[in-house]
Amino acid sequence: MPHLLVTGGAGFIGSHTVRRFLDRGWSVTALDNLSRVGSDFNLGWIRSHPGSDRLTFVQADVRDYEALAPWVARADVVLHAAGQTAVTSSVADPRHDLEANVLGTFNVLEAARQSRTQTQNPLLIYTSTNKVYGGMEDVGVKLVDRRYRYTDLPDGVAESQLLDFHSPYGCSKGAGDQYMRDYARIYGLRTVVFRQSCIYGTWQFGIEDQGWVAHFTISAVLDQPLTIYGDGMQVRDVLYIDDLLDAYEAVIAKPEVATGQIFNIGGGVERAISLLDLVEMLEALRGSPMQIAYDGWRPGDQRVYVSHIGKAERLLGWRPRVTAEEGVRRLYGWAQGHRDLLIAARTQLLEKVAHN
């Protein structure tokens, strides 16, 4: 049976990927250092899958080449989703951010290059980010009906947009992004880069600076106060996790088309919502107003980011299917049914912050 390695396999995206491919009958290895709040809960979730006899869990760090390399060598496909994920954390500790994201990605690539057989090397899918485009100060923005919009990009940001790494996180993810692309050109590795926008869904323990849709939703369910930075009219395109997994499967189905390519993957213009739009959806679901406070804009905050997803549609035949309203409804329902788990995760987070 085909074998998938997922680095960051106990994270939000990683755990969903593990379960999707167990559903498909694959053998799956999940590699994770379990450092992120909620990863132990996600590990329990993937181990509960009926096909868990085909699951191997490895507690290891992608910065440790010797621990990582043997698992890359066994894989037919590698989803590299491990790394440091928050802009604010990268600003607070840029060295850790660099080591986790740049060195970790380099180790995955080198392990794939060194393990290459005479016929084929693993297909590598890298979870990059829209942050590689930076602030896009040269792109006009206007305010229309309480939402920021691009002046001249009606379909969103395409892959041809100039890179302008901003923040240590943007630099580290962007470096990995370009390493992936160049290893396809120089060494002939089968790499694919996904510059992902705002991915959200169940089993996401969102926090203030990463996973904002889940963070807002959890705050609504637990009736906790929420701070909006800026005016709330900033816009992002949101993509439900199931649609992202469909995109991964589309790449695996067409490796000859996808290899060496970079794709902007998000909800696109049809799933672009403002922070205030999300609050309105959540207040309708809970039947009462949320506790909202406002604070100033944070450094590097963009008024708008929306992905142009036409390339993925054209080459991979992929388009999102879950609307923002439906995705938020699913996430809200899951959060209602897992209140105790969410309280435990937030307690973990507070303890981690206090310890640091």
Side-chain angles (χ1 to χ4, degrees):
M1 64 184 71
H3 190 115
L4 171 69
L5 168 66
V6 182
T7 69
F12 161 54
I13 290 174
S15 60
H16 276 273
T17 306
V18 168
R19 287 186 63 99
R20 169 68 70 93
F21 282 86
L22 289 175
D23 286 343
R24 300 292 187 257
W26 285 47
S27 171
V28 181
T29 297
L31 185 146
D32 202 295
N33 66 5
L34 299 182
S35 63
R36 185 171 174 81
V37 169
S39 59
D40 52 339
F41 301 131
N42 286 340
L43 177 58
W45 182 50
I46 63 176
R47 281 176 165 165
S48 72
H49 191 280
S52 60
D53 58 317
R54 289 178 276 106
L55 170 66
T56 301
F57 174 71
V58 179
Q59 186 167 353
D61 195 302
V62 291
R63 294 173 293 178
D64 184 346
Y65 180 82
E66 298 302 324
L68 170 71
W71 301 102
V72 174
R74 300 179 190 185
D76 298 296
V77 178
V78 177
L79 175 72
H80 180 37
Q84 197 292 116
T85 58
V87 171
T88 51
S89 298
S90 78
V91 173
D93 191 353
R95 180 177 295 277
H96 174 261
D97 177 80
L98 180 145
E99 291 174 351
N101 291 347
V102 182
L103 178 59
T105 300
F106 178 77
N107 282 342
V108 170
L109 285 164
E110 275 295 283
R113 185 174 73 89
Q114 298 292 344
S115 68
R116 178 166 42 185
T117 67
Q118 292 184 347
T119 57
Q120 198 169 65
N121 55 273
L123 175 65
L124 305 180
I125 305 172
Y126 175 60
T127 60
S128 187
T129 171
N130 58 37
K131 297 296 189 293
V132 300
Y133 296 120
M136 301 196 312
E137 288 83 1
D138 60 321
V139 176
V141 173
K142 58 186 177 181
L143 186 60
V144 180
D145 297 329
R146 303 181 74 219
R147 290 183 183 180
Y148 290 104
R149 303 177 187 270
Y150 293 126
T151 304
D152 299 313
L153 297 176
D155 298 320
V157 178
E159 295 82 358
S160 57
Q161 175 68 32
L162 292 178
L163 301 181
D164 184 18
F165 307 154
H166 186 80
S167 79
Y169 175 70
C171 291
S172 65
K173 291 298 289 185
D177 180 316
Q178 295 301 288
Y179 260 109
M180 281 280 171
R181 187 175 193 187
D182 211 49
Y183 264 59
R185 292 187 290 211
I186 298 299
Y187 298 112
L189 266 64
R190 300 187 301 156
T191 69
V192 184
V193 173
F194 273 17
R195 291 175 181 160
Q196 297 174 178
S197 192
C198 296
I199 313 301
Y200 72 103
T202 61
W203 294 93
Q204 183 180 27
F205 301 96
I207 56 178
E208 192 169 67
D209 58 357
Q210 200 276 325
W212 66 278
V213 177
H215 174 60
F216 278 41
T217 303
I218 293 168
S219 298
V221 168
L222 298 183
D223 198 27
Q224 294 179 341
L226 179 71
T227 299
I228 290 178
Y229 296 91
D231 55 21
M233 292 182 276
Q234 55 265 51
V235 167
R236 299 291 184 271
D237 62 316
V238 298
L239 184 70
Y240 193 69
I241 183 65
D242 289 357
D243 285 328
L244 177 65
L245 301 180
D246 289 346
Y248 293 156
E249 289 197 271
V251 163
I252 293 169
K254 297 181 177 180
E256 71 288 347
V257 172
T259 291
Q261 297 292 331
I262 291 173
F263 297 97
N264 285 352
I265 299 292
V269 293
E270 294 179 359
R271 290 160 181 79
I273 63 171
S274 72
L275 275 60
L276 294 179
D277 289 335
L278 178 58
V279 168
E280 184 177 335
M281 293 179 201
L282 293 171
E283 290 181 339
L285 287 167
R286 62 183 248 140
S288 62
M290 294 176 63
Q291 304 175 57
I292 305 292
Y294 288 84
D295 206 338
W297 291 90
R298 296 175 296 186
D301 278 350
Q302 294 170 298
R303 269 29 177 201
V304 57
Y305 179 85
V306 177
S307 305
H308 188 324
I309 56 176
K311 181 177 178 181
E313 180 180 15
R314 185 175 71 255
L315 296 186
L316 303 177
W318 170 86
R319 278 194 65 81
R321 296 181 294 176
V322 181
T323 65
E325 293 77 10
E326 171 62 17
V328 171
R329 186 190 64 78
R330 292 183 192 181
L331 176 56
Y332 186 87
W334 173 83
Q336 281 187 310
H338 292 80
R339 291 176 58 91
D340 291 344
L341 187 68
L342 297 174
I343 292 170
R346 293 220 158 173
T347 301
Q348 278 189 13
L349 178 63
L350 291 173
E351 291 173 350
K352 184 175 181 179
V353 170
H355 178 73
N356 292 338

